[in-house]
Amino acid sequence: MDYLRDYTMYAAIFGMFSFSWFGWAQENPRASWRKYIGIASGITLLICLAGVYLSITNWDAPSALSNQSSFRNYLILVYTEIILAGAGAFVFIKTKRSKYVSPWIAFIVGIHFISLKHVFNDPSLYVLAALLVAVAISTLIISPKLKVAHSAIAGIGAGTVLFCFALLGLIRYFLV
């Protein structure tokens, strides 16, 4: 990836979504996990805010999304992701299988990073995609064994993966 501003946005956006996933993880985890999930939420919020600050201070720097074609493709991919995630969640809720909503969302989010690799020219997004898909699949196995909500496992897994990529965005920013 060639754009400094995109690294700051990685920190902001991945940090925000990491914070959101850790929030979702608090639906029904083991009681002993709650304080750690809360601490993780706080740390990811700080990473997000650092990314927001750096994004604002570098707002005029070029971005992969400065190219109209890339921006259009980005919007198409994000809207497609939202529609697929929402449609799947709707079906799961209507069929009284709402426990599968969080792994479904993690799966769809993971898949959408495969295409975003081409928008941002960042091969690390393939790794992000694979990890989020792995979180989605492993949730289906781990959650019943631990007798916790699927959202606890999906939230902790996706939150951790996105936190690592938010942190990676900050590291890449400071190394440029």
Side-chain angles (χ1 to χ4, degrees):
M1 191 165 65
D2 300 325
Y3 301 104
L4 181 73
R5 184 172 130 205
D6 293 339
Y7 293 136
T8 66
M9 291 301 291
Y10 273 24
I13 292 170
F14 294 156
M16 177 188 67
F17 283 110
S18 177
F19 175 76
S20 299
W21 277 101
F22 280 123
W24 201 355
Q26 295 183 44
E27 178 184 357
N28 191 19
R30 291 190 171 163
S32 62
W33 298 358
R34 288 195 186 275
K35 67 179 170 188
Y36 300 108
I37 295 169
I39 291 167
S41 293
I43 292 169
T44 58
L45 179 59
L46 293 174
I47 297 294
C48 169
L49 293 174
V52 167
Y53 171 78
L54 292 171
S55 296
I56 291 168
T57 59
N58 290 282
W59 197 256
D60 293 329
S63 165
L65 299 180
S66 297
N67 175 303
Q68 286 297 344
S69 175
S70 292
F71 185 66
R72 184 189 75 245
N73 291 340
Y74 172 79
L75 289 178
I76 289 168
L77 292 167
V78 169
Y79 288 140
T80 301
E81 170 201 17
I82 291 168
I83 290 166
L84 288 172
F90 178 79
V91 168
F92 283 127
I93 291 167
K94 280 299 198 184
T95 60
K96 304 209 183 306
R97 293 182 175 100
S98 61
K99 69 181 180 180
Y100 297 114
V101 171
S102 59
W104 170 253
I105 301 291
F107 177 77
I108 293 299
V109 170
I111 293 298
H112 107 284
F113 282 115
I114 294 170
S115 298
L116 285 181
K117 180 273 177 198
H118 302 291
V119 171
F120 291 100
N121 193 28
D122 184 1
S124 76
L125 294 179
Y126 284 149
V127 175
L128 179 55
L131 291 172
L132 287 173
V133 168
V135 165
I137 294 168
S138 64
T139 294
L140 302 174
I141 298 163
I142 296 170
S143 179
K145 288 184 181 194
L146 295 180
K147 296 182 177 141
V148 296
H150 284 62
S151 59
I153 301 303
I156 291 168
T160 300
V161 168
L162 290 166
F163 166 73
C164 290
F165 275 81
L167 199 55
L168 180 62
L170 281 181
I171 292 167
R172 291 163 103 181
Y173 168 80
F174 287 116
L175 290 178
V176 173

